[in-house]
Amino acid sequence: AARGGRRRGYTNHASEHEARIALATFFVTMLGDLRGYLSAPSPGSPPVADRERYMRYRAGCGDAPGSPLHILASNFVGSGQFDAFAAARLAEVAARRPVPDDAPLFSLASNHHRVNRVEFRPAEIRQSVRAVASRRDLPGRHAAVWSDSVRRRAADLTSPQAYPGDRRGAVAQLARDCAESSIILAETMMVLWTRMQEGRGLNWRKALHALEVLRYLLLNGPVGAVAEAADGLGTLRLLRNYSDALRGQNSRLVRDVASEVCGLVSDLPLLFARRRECMDRRRRVAASDAAGGRGDPRRKETRMLRGISRFADVH
């Protein structure tokens, strides 16, 4: 299993899940209990942020003066962030609205303690945060699974093993998906940069395939791919001198694609001229498919609304 994981590329989903739980546990422990930092100046009056009450509350939790958490709490109370945070929590209470399922994990876990009357003690907080974060009916879980599927698609396309299917069609579909969602583009680029770093020795195909996918995104994908590639221009320049493959001809393949990609990113007029050529080619292919009865003639490459034929009419 570990060997297969190295071939396919490691995904950080499990680590991200644990980091999310750890951070939410810390913040719920520090700020989850509203009674720890809100007090009413007089009976019947609305509660307000109380700095002294919060410091006494933290001291009662074991944060002795001079301890790291006491210093952290003191700096937090002395900043404007404490007032802004307390005001946001007061606004939530005043709205009297149920906490939505897509709320941050901090809000979901804090609400779980209040609704079920669970004490805000560290042991109970750790247990409740993990239970809430692991619920499969929350939108956040679906987003995590979806994000992991995008990474797996990109990892399969850049694997040193042969792709089980139509690789060219899969890359084209990935480019279309990246144009539909910037999140898919960000997840894809993360995998590509990781593959370029892993492409050494026998894994030289990882770097080669990652560069080929990046080249396709630059020419056929969303404009955002240009900015993503420009952020990693330093990595692309290093790959122009790639020599980590065991055979010289394999290193030359990587260098050739890296030089082409680096040249496109460095010369924007050339890049956008190539993008126009690719767009014209896609339109001709789509028109030919529609005329020959292949594909769906209702699908337009420009994805414009029905009835809009000129760009000036979009607004």
Side-chain angles (χ1 to χ4, degrees):
R3 188 181 306 167
R6 286 195 293 270
R7 287 199 304 265
R8 294 172 57 88
Y10 177 72
T11 58
N12 283 330
H13 171 61
S15 300
E16 292 170 358
H17 181 64
E18 293 298 326
R20 184 167 175 253
I21 291 175
L23 289 172
T25 300
F26 171 77
F27 285 109
V28 172
T29 302
M30 295 291 292
L31 298 163
D33 192 356
L34 297 174
R35 299 170 299 180
Y37 52 88
L38 298 179
S39 63
S42 59
S45 61
V48 296
D50 190 335
R51 292 181 173 84
E52 295 181 358
R53 181 185 182 90
Y54 179 66
M55 295 307 299
R56 292 195 300 269
Y57 166 73
R58 292 311 311 163
C61 293
D63 298 343
S67 64
L69 285 180
H70 183 271
I71 296 174
L72 176 65
S74 299
N75 292 333
F76 177 65
V77 166
S79 67
Q81 296 178 349
F82 176 79
D83 294 331
F85 179 84
R89 302 289 78 76
L90 285 172
E92 292 177 358
V93 173
R96 295 183 179 275
R97 297 175 181 173
V99 179
D101 289 341
D102 59 350
L105 182 55
F106 170 86
S107 300
L108 292 171
S110 301
N111 183 68
H112 172 81
H113 277 259
R114 288 192 292 269
V115 171
N116 297 282
R117 299 182 181 277
V118 181
E119 291 293 331
F120 283 86
R121 291 192 292 261
E124 285 79 1
I125 291 174
R126 284 194 295 269
Q127 183 178 1
S128 62
V129 170
R130 181 170 294 276
V132 172
S134 301
R135 283 176 51 189
R136 293 193 172 273
D137 58 332
L138 295 179
R141 289 290 299 165
H142 299 311
V145 174
W146 174 74
S147 175
D148 187 61
S149 68
V150 173
R151 299 182 193 180
R152 288 183 180 276
R153 288 172 56 193
D156 287 340
L157 289 171
T158 55
S159 172
Q161 279 70 38
Y163 184 77
D166 181 10
R167 185 174 183 275
R168 183 185 298 273
V171 173
Q173 183 60 50
L174 180 62
R176 289 193 292 269
D177 293 342
C178 288
E180 295 291 342
S181 172
S182 59
I183 298 177
I184 296 180
L185 175 62
E187 297 284 358
T188 300
M189 292 301 302
M190 181 182 65
V191 175
L192 297 184
W193 295 127
T194 302
R195 288 303 207 188
M196 292 179 197
Q197 295 175 357
E198 295 174 346
R200 301 176 183 276
L202 295 176
N203 291 322
W204 61 273
R205 287 188 179 88
K206 291 184 178 182
L208 178 64
H209 292 332
L211 288 167
E212 290 174 344
V213 174
L214 178 57
R215 178 178 59 187
Y216 190 92
L217 289 176
L218 288 173
L219 297 176
N220 302 276
V223 179
V226 179
E228 293 281 354
D231 289 340
L233 186 57
T235 299
L236 298 174
R237 286 173 175 167
L238 291 176
L239 289 174
R240 291 187 304 181
N241 301 318
Y242 181 88
S243 60
D244 293 328
L246 298 181
R247 296 183 178 180
Q249 60 267 33
N250 296 335
S251 297
R252 190 179 306 111
L253 292 175
V254 177
R255 289 197 300 267
D256 290 345
V257 181
S259 298
E260 182 182 359
V261 173
C262 191
L264 291 172
V265 178
S266 301
D267 191 347
L268 293 182
L270 173 62
L271 172 59
F272 282 97
R274 293 281 303 277
R275 283 176 63 87
R276 285 191 294 271
E277 294 175 0
C278 293
M279 182 179 62
D280 292 339
R281 187 181 304 113
R282 292 196 304 271
R283 287 177 173 174
R284 289 195 299 269
V285 172
S288 176
D289 290 345
R294 299 186 300 272
D296 188 351
R298 294 171 297 178
R299 178 182 176 90
K300 293 186 177 181
E301 182 63 24
T302 54
R303 292 184 174 85
M304 289 188 176
L305 299 176
R306 180 186 289 271
I308 299 178
S309 59
R310 295 187 309 165
F311 181 78
D313 296 335
V314 173
H315 301 286

